[in-house]
Amino acid sequence: MKNKKYLWICAILVIALGLGFAAGCSSEKTEDQLEKIVVTLDWTPNTNHTGLYVAKDNGYYEEAGLDVEIVQLSGGSVEQVVASESSHFGVAYQEGVTYARLSDIPIVSIAAVIQHNTSGFASLKSKGIETPKDFEGKKYGGWGSPVEEATIKALMDRYEADYSQVEILTTGAVDFFVSSEKNADFSWIYSAWDGVAAEIRGVELNYIDLGTIDPALDYYTPVLITSESLINEDPELVEKFMKATAKGYEFAIEQPEQAASILLANAPELDEELVIASQIWLKDKYQDDAEMWGLQQKEVWQNYTNWLSERDLIEGELDVDKAFTNQFIN
């Protein structure tokens, strides 16, 4: 679900160069006067995206005067296509917004899709990895981001373990279960997808929850983003989109099985049992302890920014007040 998110790192210079030449994605009115909007997903459709599909299929976008097209990423990164204004909105991650803004790429997080980090390091129970100390002598399979290595090292340092004894493998988008059987001893997964899939398959996992093991790692993943220019030039459009989108996620919270059916209708290639189980698992995680769905806290942004800075993973100082906004959450 998350492996493609770091492709933007390679594209970041391309973004900077391309900003000045982008054709832009100015909204167009269709014949029935609906405003055409493009939303780009970070990954293939999954339960992180359900609220978007619900808002579309239940007519919430149309009621708001919007004709929303939900598309999958075809190259580069979501940050890239939103920053270049080839897409009005996108699904991204807090770290992606952080790196983009520090590279003068003006994108803004406008909602937390899930209120707490539900990802972590998972391994087959037979591997015997119960704490970060047990990473010693094991192989990690991931997508090759410096953040992965830094996170593993930080956790191992807390347990006084030797990071040099971990072998880092770049396995890319290989299925977690395939990777675990063939190459890697542990990987970074999302509980709502691979964790739920493991339960369905009867595969016992050991799981180290990033959202609880270190408060700084309880960051927003995923988030909805848009460009700073769209917020400044057409805040009403952003408000209409967000109001309808919030209704979609509220529906998914209240009626997870019906929401799962809508996602499956839009992505019939998905495993029905997994989607329904994942949707039920996520229904209490979307909003969780927040006053309303989508709200973000400055503390969360600042804590993770500090964490990245302390490990020399970012250069410069992020103005977190500009990296996110709750302006469109109501």
Side-chain angles (χ1 to χ4, degrees):
M1 191 184 287
K2 69 183 294 187
N3 293 357
K4 280 190 175 178
K5 66 180 181 178
Y6 291 101
L7 290 175
W8 67 270
I9 294 175
C10 300
I12 206 75
L13 293 177
V14 177
I15 301 172
L17 292 172
L19 277 172
F21 306 98
C25 60
S26 58
S27 303
E28 297 178 357
K29 295 287 183 65
T30 55
E31 292 183 357
D32 54 2
Q33 297 303 302
L34 295 178
E35 200 164 4
K36 293 188 70 67
I37 296 298
V38 177
V39 181
T40 302
L41 304 180
D42 57 320
W43 189 241
T44 53
N46 58 68
T47 46
N48 283 349
H49 311 135
T50 304
L52 298 167
Y53 286 107
V54 170
K56 182 177 175 63
D57 282 20
N58 280 2
Y60 303 152
Y61 289 137
E62 187 173 353
E63 291 169 3
L66 305 176
D67 177 15
V68 173
E69 181 183 12
I70 302 171
V71 302
Q72 295 185 44
L73 194 63
S74 59
S77 71
V78 177
E79 290 85 356
Q80 181 181 12
V81 298
V82 172
S84 66
E85 302 185 2
S86 297
S87 179
H88 298 81
F89 302 97
V91 180
Y93 306 88
Q94 181 174 331
E95 61 268 46
V97 175
T98 298
Y99 278 100
R101 291 201 64 89
L102 287 173
S103 300
D104 295 325
I105 308 301
I107 58 172
V108 181
S109 173
I110 53 176
V113 175
I114 299 172
Q115 191 57 217
H116 293 281
N117 190 347
T118 58
S119 69
F121 293 107
S123 58
L124 301 179
K125 200 172 187 63
S126 58
K127 304 284 186 179
I129 303 175
E130 297 181 356
T131 75
K133 174 71 174 175
D134 299 320
F135 291 164
E136 289 183 345
K138 298 296 194 298
K139 297 177 181 178
Y140 169 75
W143 53 93
S145 162
V147 170
E148 296 171 86
E149 296 186 33
T151 304
I152 293 169
K153 184 176 186 306
L155 295 184
M156 293 184 73
D157 287 345
R158 286 167 64 99
Y159 281 77
E160 299 182 347
D162 184 358
Y163 170 73
S164 68
Q165 294 188 34
V166 179
E167 183 176 352
I168 305 295
L169 305 176
T170 300
T171 53
V174 174
D175 176 80
F176 163 73
F177 298 98
V178 173
S179 177
S180 296
E181 291 289 348
K182 292 185 175 180
N183 312 103
D185 295 307
F186 66 107
S187 299
W188 194 333
I189 70 164
Y190 271 88
S191 295
W193 201 252
D194 287 322
V196 170
E199 291 182 12
I200 292 173
R201 298 180 185 198
V203 176
E204 290 189 284
L205 299 182
N206 283 328
Y207 180 69
I208 297 172
D209 186 348
L210 291 180
T212 58
I213 197 169
D214 185 336
L217 298 178
D218 188 17
Y219 56 90
Y220 297 121
T221 174
V223 296
L224 299 182
I225 63 171
T226 190
S227 63
E228 215 170 71
S229 59
L230 188 61
I231 291 175
N232 292 332
E233 295 167 9
D234 199 348
E236 291 184 2
L237 172 62
V238 181
E239 184 174 2
K240 287 190 292 186
F241 171 78
M242 283 304 301
K243 186 174 182 179
T245 300
K247 287 180 67 176
Y249 279 99
E250 288 162 2
F251 182 97
I253 292 168
E254 295 166 1
Q255 303 185 60
E257 294 189 17
Q258 290 87 337
S261 296
I262 291 173
L263 175 59
L264 286 164
N266 284 276
E269 70 277 11
L270 296 178
D271 181 276
E272 181 177 1
E273 184 179 10
L274 172 57
V275 169
I276 294 173
S278 175
Q279 205 64 67
I280 293 172
W281 191 92
L282 265 181
K283 68 180 178 64
D284 296 325
K285 305 294 191 297
Y286 288 123
Q287 181 176 331
D288 206 290
D289 54 358
E291 185 178 345
M292 59 186 70
W293 174 83
L295 276 178
Q296 302 171 79
Q297 297 182 48
K298 181 176 180 178
E299 179 183 15
V300 173
W301 278 87
Q302 193 64 65
N303 286 345
Y304 189 55
T305 298
N306 293 342
W307 188 92
L308 292 169
S309 180
E310 290 164 2
R311 287 156 183 79
D312 296 324
L313 291 171
I314 57 175
E315 295 182 0
E317 185 173 345
L318 178 70
D319 185 345
V320 297
D321 289 320
K322 293 184 177 179
F324 81 98
T325 180
N326 288 319
Q327 176 183 351
F328 305 102
I329 303 296
N330 50 54

